[in-house]
Amino acid sequence: MLMKGVTLRGLEVFEALAKSGSVAQAAEITGLSQPAVSQQLRNLEKALSSDLVDHGRRPMVLTSAGRSFLSRTQAVLSELRLAQSELTVMDLSHLPALSLGLIDDFDNDLTPRLATILADSLTQCRFKMVTSSSHDIYRAMEAKDLHIGIAASTGELRSGVTEYPLVEDPFILVAPRGAVTAPEDIGSQLNHLPLLRYARDQLISQQIESHLTRSKLEFEDRFEIGSHLALMAMVARRIGWAITTPLGYMRAVRFHDDIDAFALPFTGFSRRISLFSQSDWPDTVPLEVAGTVRRLVQSQMITPAVNRLPWLAGQMRVIDA
């Protein structure tokens, strides 16, 4: 039983304040008024008999007690959000078959959760799930080998396929830990290291190269890596720097102690992850799957990413239906 004064709303407000350092921004995140945010924080601090933030500083910063409590708060809220997504059970028992393809960006966290949720719902169904590249998922959709595909969008209209946007995934820069000491001058601090590129047959590589061309930016063409984790390992070993996305960064958690992530030092851009379904399907099925994926992405990927890189708040986001 929670002690009197500790509420879920109070925990959500505290998490939002810790991210933003601002009552106004916390109010925007939580949908409360600014006085209500302040009151929730006062109630929580009173219940815990401890100051969680330094009220004399702007933007607000956490006290040592606040930093300790934040890690527990984030863990609790993450589990509650996950439980909520898993309890929102889809009714897909009427389907005789479902074949689903997902990009491997989701392998670490989302795909295993989605597989178990779908398996619980598809009680009388022949179910197939595969992970692959966006290009391969597009080809499988065109060949009608998949009913539903989740992949990075190219923005093109595809005949016979309906698109349901899921996630905005901005591109970011990753560099060896400590190589950038002044984020406002990233370019000059990395000019002695090469750009590590994704393999050119990958959609993410084509999107990056197109943006560099539009921005009239040129870098030495020396490394081209087909494996995402191999590319992140090379950054960690100080061989070079790379352009990736938060989804890619979070897949490389084993290298986080050896790499730093930054907003791009040139014009920002992002990719969209979408669910694609065959147009001759009733939209109830893709809509239910899309809703579940959005909830899982928020709890399993976006929230942990923003907790680690607070400047991503508002940039990496679920795209509501």
Side-chain angles (χ1 to χ4, degrees):
M1 182 176 179
L2 291 176
M3 65 178 67
K4 186 176 181 180
V6 177
T7 65
L8 289 179
R9 177 59 82 183
L11 296 179
E12 290 175 330
V13 164
F14 173 58
E15 182 188 49
L17 277 168
K19 288 179 185 176
S20 65
S22 161
V23 170
Q25 290 184 44
E28 184 177 347
I29 292 169
T30 59
L32 298 175
S33 66
Q34 292 185 38
V37 166
S38 298
Q39 186 62 53
Q40 288 287 346
L41 180 60
R42 285 195 296 271
N43 292 346
L44 184 59
E45 289 182 321
K46 181 179 179 181
L48 297 171
S49 299
S50 181
D51 287 340
L52 300 176
V53 302
D54 183 344
H55 295 270
R57 297 181 60 179
R58 294 291 183 274
M60 290 183 178
V61 296
L62 299 183
T63 62
S64 59
R67 289 191 295 272
S68 176
F69 190 66
L70 177 62
S71 64
R72 302 292 186 183
T73 297
Q74 290 169 337
V76 167
L77 292 176
S78 178
E79 286 301 315
L80 285 171
R81 288 164 182 150
L82 179 59
Q84 183 182 33
S85 71
E86 291 180 341
L87 287 172
T88 308
V89 178
M90 294 175 285
D91 181 13
L92 303 180
S93 57
H94 60 286
L95 291 180
L98 175 64
S99 55
L100 172 67
L102 297 97
I103 51 171
D104 51 15
D105 299 68
F106 291 160
D107 271 355
N108 287 21
D109 302 295
L110 187 145
T111 300
R113 298 280 190 178
L114 182 61
T116 57
I117 292 171
L118 288 172
D120 285 342
S121 177
L122 298 166
T123 54
Q124 305 295 323
C125 175
R126 184 174 180 274
F127 178 44
K128 174 184 177 183
M129 176 183 280
V130 299
T131 58
S132 193
S133 69
S134 292
H135 282 320
D136 285 343
I137 289 171
Y138 285 142
R139 284 189 281 267
M141 291 291 295
E142 290 171 0
K144 296 191 178 297
D145 292 333
L146 293 175
H147 298 117
I148 292 175
I150 296 175
S153 176
T154 63
E156 301 174 20
L157 293 177
R158 296 178 180 273
S159 177
V161 173
T162 303
E163 180 175 355
Y164 302 82
L166 300 174
V167 187
E168 194 79 17
D169 192 28
F171 284 91
I172 63 175
L173 184 149
V174 290
R177 174 59 59 90
V180 176
T181 56
E184 70 279 3
D185 190 26
I186 292 177
S188 63
Q189 294 178 82
L190 292 179
N191 59 16
H192 64 290
L193 292 174
L195 169 63
L196 307 176
R197 288 176 159 90
Y198 285 95
R200 293 187 186 277
D201 62 347
Q202 297 179 352
L203 179 57
I204 190 171
S205 175
Q206 294 161 11
Q207 291 172 324
I208 292 169
E209 294 303 320
S210 294
H211 187 75
L212 293 178
T213 299
R214 288 193 300 270
S215 302
K216 296 182 171 55
L217 295 170
E218 295 184 8
F219 300 97
E220 181 183 8
D221 191 359
R222 184 178 169 196
F223 292 99
E224 185 179 333
I225 313 299
S227 162
H228 170 75
L229 289 180
L231 188 146
M232 293 297 105
M234 292 173 69
V235 175
R237 289 291 300 273
R238 315 188 74 80
I239 294 170
W241 58 279
I243 298 171
T244 187
T245 72
L247 288 181
Y249 172 77
M250 295 305 290
R251 284 179 65 201
V253 64
R254 72 183 74 171
F255 302 117
H256 282 181
D257 288 343
D258 297 308
I259 62 179
D260 289 324
F262 304 94
L264 293 176
F266 45 84
T267 304
F269 68 119
S270 63
R271 64 175 183 168
R272 185 173 70 234
I273 308 297
S274 294
L275 181 147
F276 300 88
S277 75
Q278 301 293 348
S279 296
D280 54 3
W281 264 43
D283 64 2
T284 53
V285 174
L287 282 172
E288 286 198 69
V289 176
T292 296
V293 171
R294 290 188 187 103
R295 290 189 291 272
L296 287 173
V297 169
Q298 182 64 58
S299 65
Q300 297 299 291
M301 309 189 86
I302 295 178
T303 296
V306 172
N307 286 340
R308 188 168 184 90
L309 305 172
W311 48 267
L312 284 174
Q315 299 181 52
M316 185 188 188
R317 62 182 183 88
V318 164
I319 302 173
D320 294 324

